[in-house]
Amino acid sequence: MAIEVRREDRVAVLTINRPDALNALSSALLEELRSELTAIAQDDSVGCLIITGAGEKAFIAGADIAEMATKTPLEARAYAELGQECANLLETMRAPSIAAVNGYALGGGSEIALACDIRLCSENAVFGQPEVDLGIMPGWGATQRLARTTSIGFAKELIFTGRRVKADEALARGIAQHVLPLEELMPKALEMAHAISAKSPVAIAYAKEATNRALAGDLATNYMVEADLFSILFSTEDAKEGLRAFTEKRAPEFKGR
Ligand code: DAK
């Protein structure tokens, strides 16, 4: 198996394990990723997911270039859909996802990181969309997610030039939320993931659903959805428990219902 999933209480840590090819995503690897993400999305005991790459050099160096070179247009379409499905699963699953970007996040690797809710990166991280250097274009969502995460002009610059961006610039542009020395990356990701997992999963899921709308749809509808989700939370035991625990000056015990 080229993908490893381990659990630490309510945190799942998924590692892309193909370091010899800098964790480049072959079709077989992507299919495995889709199946693991589907299982995680259906598992209510997962409160937060961390995705990272094996080794100290790469998160994911992109789609597998050697394999892509052999694809017919129909196979390329299926490959694009598979990658998009993985990205959509990350974006829509109830549990938040954190990309722990431990090196190169190029092409499809950058796109998988962008589909995660939060990106932490190591000082040696490099982001970029170098597809145009190969005569192709991004196919797993960067044309939308990079523009929405940064700005449309910056996204076009990276997509049109293939320029690679180091950790500090990624931080300044809002691609990464924190930059850390490599050895501190996973401890920080785990600390954040455990903190998120300790909250009410219903509140987190609804907060994610509402926040995902921030860059899509119209503002009036999005405020209405926010109000609806907010009010639905008042039917949960977790909201009653959280509000009561505050007034009773004790830590809440959330049950996910
Ligand atoms: N695919 C396959 N193998 C890769 C790879 C990749 N993306 N990246 C690296 N490798 C392999 C190298 O071939 C090498 O293998 P061996 O020669 O040892 O067998 C090994 O990993 C180590 O790489 P290097 O020797 O090159 O290591 P360096 O430190 O010198 O350089 C690098 C690291 C990351 C700068 C360099 O490897 C590099 O530039 N890699 C390519 C990065 C890249 O261009 N990534 C974007 C790929 S395009 C779509 C679907 C998907 C996509 C687009 C459209 N549709 C169907 C519409 C997505 C596209 C992409 O992701």
Side-chain angles (χ1 to χ4, degrees), residues 4-26:
E4 289 166 6
V5 180
R6 69 179 175 88
R7 288 292 296 269
E8 262 193 28
D9 300 323
R10 288 176 46 73
V11 175
V13 181
L14 185 155
T15 306
I16 310 282
N17 190 8
R18 195 191 172 201
D20 292 351
L22 303 185
N23 304 319
L25 294 173
S26 60

Side-chain angles (χ1 to χ4, degrees), residues 18-26 30 57-58 60-68 71-73 75-81 83-84 104-111 126 128-134 136-140 164:
R18 195 191 172 201
D20 292 351
L22 303 185
N23 304 319
L25 294 173
S26 60
L30 259 188
K57 220 174 142 181
I60 300 169
D64 188 315
I65 298 173
E67 188 191 300
M68 260 196 308
K71 286 200 185 301
T72 64
E75 288 167 345
R77 171 110 200 176
Y79 192 54
E81 284 170 2
Q84 283 179 356
Y104 291 109
L106 299 173
S110 159
E111 291 172 300
V126 178
Q129 300 297 152
E131 289 89 347
V132 286
D133 294 330
L134 303 167
I136 56 174
M137 62 172 279
W140 296 338
R164 294 164 193 211

Side-chain angles (χ1 to χ4, degrees), residues 36 39 50 75-76 87 141 182 194 205 233 237:
E36 294 294 351
I50 298 173
E75 288 167 345
L182 185 57
H194 281 294
L233 285 178
E237 287 179 29

Side-chain angles (χ1 to χ4, degrees), residues 149-205:
T149 305
T150 62
S151 68
I152 192 151
F154 187 68
K156 284 179 175 170
E157 180 198 336
L158 294 198
I159 292 170
F160 297 169
T161 65
R163 182 167 77 81
R164 294 164 193 211
V165 167
K166 291 188 179 158
D168 284 348
E169 190 176 359
L171 180 70
R173 292 290 186 170
I175 295 174
Q177 279 62 67
H178 296 275
V179 178
L180 300 132
L182 185 57
E183 65 278 11
E184 290 173 26
L185 178 64
M186 276 312 284
K188 173 76 180 177
L190 283 165
E191 181 196 319
M192 190 180 278
H194 281 294
I196 291 171
S197 302
K199 317 286 183 205
S200 162
V202 200
I204 293 288

